Amino acid sequence: PAAAAAAGAGGPPAPPGGAAPATVGAAAAGVPHPALLHCVEGVIDRAWPEAARDLREGSSSSSSSAATTAVGVSAATAAGFGEGGPPPSKRLAVPLDADTAGRMDGAIAAARRGDWPGCGAAAQVVRAAAWASFERARGWQRVCDRELFMLAELLLALSANAAGDAAAAVRSADHVFTFAAAGGFRDAALLFVRWLDADARAVAKGGARPSAAFPSEVPAWASKPLQWGNTEPIVRVAAAADRRAAIDAIQADRPVVVEGALEAWPGRSKWSTLAYLDDVAGHRLVPVELGSSVGGADWREELMTLGDFLRCELEPSCQAFAGGGGDAGGGGTTSVGYLAQHELLEQCPQLRLDVSPPEVWRTALCGQPTRSNIWLGTHGTVTPCHWDSYDNCLAQVQGTKRALLLPPDAASCLYVDNGAAGGAAAQGNLSPVDLEAPDLEKFPDFARAPKVLVAELRPGDALFIPHGWWHQVRALTPSVSVNFWF
């Protein structure tokens, strides 16, 4: 219990010896593991009193910076809402109220008297009501609604652990991880993963498995030529031979591609096929984007297992390249799917062993990154033109991408949303201009923009994007990248 109390104060503890027992759920039949129970009790004690009060008082407060309006990261863009939730004019009638809070009180009371079947049944009702509210509003309307959902999932995870169902417990923990910011909720979710994921992964074995490999070359039909001629290539240096040049460029805030920067990564070989990713994390729930254009008519975001995403989206895309035919017109023959800007390395610690920030970055920037994200998708995924407030190392593990960059002072040519309307553009870091094929009739000032820097990122390359630099990225093949923010 003392170790479990660390969850929420520096991160979840590892099980004794660094590995979970083979059958945690069977350690005490019908009872959750004490470390998991203690951790969740702490989260309830800290979060539920205020959330319950807000539910009962009908509070519309959503001031917390942890508020999340959509699955993962980008559904807020589609809904047009920012991190604070929908604006007052777009809020729906809130169905989560004192009655819902009362049902949650009942679930917590059942847990405290050890009635785990009763706790699970009550928590499932609360969870269903919270999720229905989320789907109707296309996002969480209030912090208390989101926390209600996550608390219900934690109680469901405890109930599943008491029943010996590791897979269901980890699935509930993944729901919490998807919506939780850093802190107690996320730490609790990760504690379930550390204790139970080996059992959950064992249960998931069997069935159809993806086996395709990421392509190493870009065929002509997939090259997608640029429709803008005012470009120049980004400087490329070799990690081994030009280490000093790479460090100098990074410290001078100049974009640079470091070739061979990832060759020591186990992921360069292990992640070459979909089978490994499926074996390690195929049973885990992740938020994926489906559709060719964020916010477009065909675009949506869903929670699904990574295995389903690999089988239904990535494998057909990889097979189109393996067949060599593809689409002669260059449009692609498969749908577009993206696991974008997701902290999969934290959610699935085993994958974190396969990668690390390149040594050149750690030396040049004097430290470790503040966050890492996975970008796993089919060919044809596009990250629109934007800038980040962090120095960025974009590491291309498998497949090929093309990155287009402009310096910070190009903002005057990029028709930047000033954020007055709020929502996804609230930071003023998004541009509607397509750097691949700018529409000068719609955006005539772009004709004054400086040359667009172009980098084709091949497997093993790492691109340094200084903070404040505009960038747009397209996957020319099925691809997996890791980025580190410093």
Side-chain angles (χ1 to χ4, degrees):
T23 51
V24 174
V31 180
H33 192 280
L36 300 175
L37 179 58
H38 185 87
C39 181
V40 174
E41 285 177 338
V43 176
I44 290 172
D45 289 345
R46 289 189 297 273
W48 180 235
E50 182 176 355
R53 184 199 67 212
D54 287 347
L55 286 163
R56 290 189 166 97
E57 294 178 357
S59 168
S60 60
S61 169
S62 56
S63 60
S64 169
S65 61
T68 304
T69 62
V71 178
V73 174
S74 58
T77 301
F81 306 148
E83 287 196 348
S89 62
K90 293 183 178 290
R91 288 195 177 113
L92 307 180
V94 179
L96 301 177
D97 52 16
D99 289 341
T100 313
R103 286 190 284 272
M104 188 65 187
D105 283 337
I108 293 171
R112 286 178 169 158
R113 64 175 179 266
D115 176 9
W116 294 108
C119 173
Q124 183 59 46
V125 172
V126 174
R127 188 257 185 216
W131 187 252
S133 173
F134 170 86
E135 290 190 317
R136 280 194 295 269
R138 300 181 70 190
W140 300 118
Q141 298 184 84
R142 304 172 299 177
V143 174
C144 60
D145 297 342
R146 180 178 63 91
E147 292 188 343
L148 176 74
F149 173 83
M150 294 192 295
L151 288 168
E153 288 286 11
L154 288 177
L155 290 178
L156 287 169
L158 284 177
S159 300
N161 180 223
D165 189 345
V170 170
R171 186 164 56 249
S172 285
D174 280 342
H175 276 117
V176 175
F177 182 90
T178 298
F179 293 105
F185 279 102
R186 177 167 285 199
D187 291 340
L190 292 175
L191 188 62
F192 277 92
V193 171
R194 291 192 180 190
W195 279 101
L196 303 176
D197 192 49
D199 287 349
R201 187 164 62 249
V203 171
K205 300 292 185 184
R209 311 295 296 276
S211 59
F214 286 98
S216 58
E217 302 293 337
V218 182
W221 62 266
S223 61
K224 188 72 175 178
L226 295 176
Q227 303 300 308
W228 183 246
N230 189 23
T231 65
E232 65 177 86
I234 291 178
V235 171
R236 303 180 70 91
V237 300
D242 300 319
R243 179 177 178 275
R244 185 69 254 171
I247 291 174
D248 288 345
I250 292 170
Q251 292 182 335
D253 282 343
R254 295 195 308 268
V256 63
V257 175
V258 182
E259 300 173 343
L262 319 180
E263 292 313 307
W265 284 16
R268 282 285 294 114
S269 57
K270 289 183 176 181
W271 295 12
S272 61
T273 68
L274 306 183
Y276 175 78
L277 297 173
D278 184 63
D279 182 61
V280 172
H283 60 295
R284 305 300 299 280
L285 283 174
V286 293
V288 301
E289 302 171 17
L290 302 174
S292 58
S293 179
V294 174
D298 69 334
W299 187 91
R300 66 190 188 280
E301 193 167 33
E302 294 184 4
L303 277 171
M304 65 173 63
T305 66
L306 181 64
D308 284 345
F309 178 63
L310 295 173
R311 282 186 292 274
C312 298
E313 303 296 332
L314 263 294
E315 182 138 75
S317 185
C318 289
Q319 288 171 342
F321 282 75
D327 182 339
T333 57
T334 61
S335 60
V336 174
Y338 212 4
L339 173 58
Q341 196 174 314
H342 183 61
E343 294 180 89
L344 188 64
L345 301 181
E346 183 176 8
Q347 185 183 6
C348 303
Q350 185 172 339
L351 292 177
R352 190 166 54 217
L353 301 175
D354 297 334
V355 304
S356 63
E359 182 274 334
V360 167
W361 265 257
R362 287 183 281 115
T363 299
L365 299 173
C366 302
Q368 295 292 334
T370 59
R371 173 173 165 171
S372 62
N373 300 294
I374 286 283
W375 306 77
L376 170 66
T378 65
H379 67 291
T381 61
V382 176
T383 302
C385 183
H386 70 287
W387 59 264
D388 298 314
S389 56
Y390 301 93
D391 288 326
N392 190 355
C393 168
L394 177 58
Q396 190 62 22
V397 189
Q398 303 293 340
T400 302
K401 284 183 171 176
R402 182 174 61 214
L404 307 177
L405 278 68
L406 281 170
D409 60 12
S412 61
C413 307
L414 289 173
Y415 296 82
V416 181
D417 189 318
N418 63 14
Q427 295 183 66
N429 71 331
L430 299 176
S431 168
V433 178
D434 178 1
L435 300 187
E436 294 183 327
D439 183 346
L440 294 184
E441 289 189 4
K442 189 173 182 180
F443 306 112
D445 288 350
F446 187 76
R448 301 186 290 101
K451 286 187 176 182
V452 175
L453 302 184
V454 182
E456 186 170 290
L457 303 178
R458 297 183 282 271
D461 287 348
L463 168 64
F464 174 59
I465 306 173
H467 64 278
W469 275 69
W470 297 90
H471 53 285
Q472 177 175 319
V473 183
R474 172 183 289 274
L476 300 176
T477 73
S479 165
V480 56
S481 314
V482 179
N483 88 290
F484 301 95
W485 281 331
F486 287 84

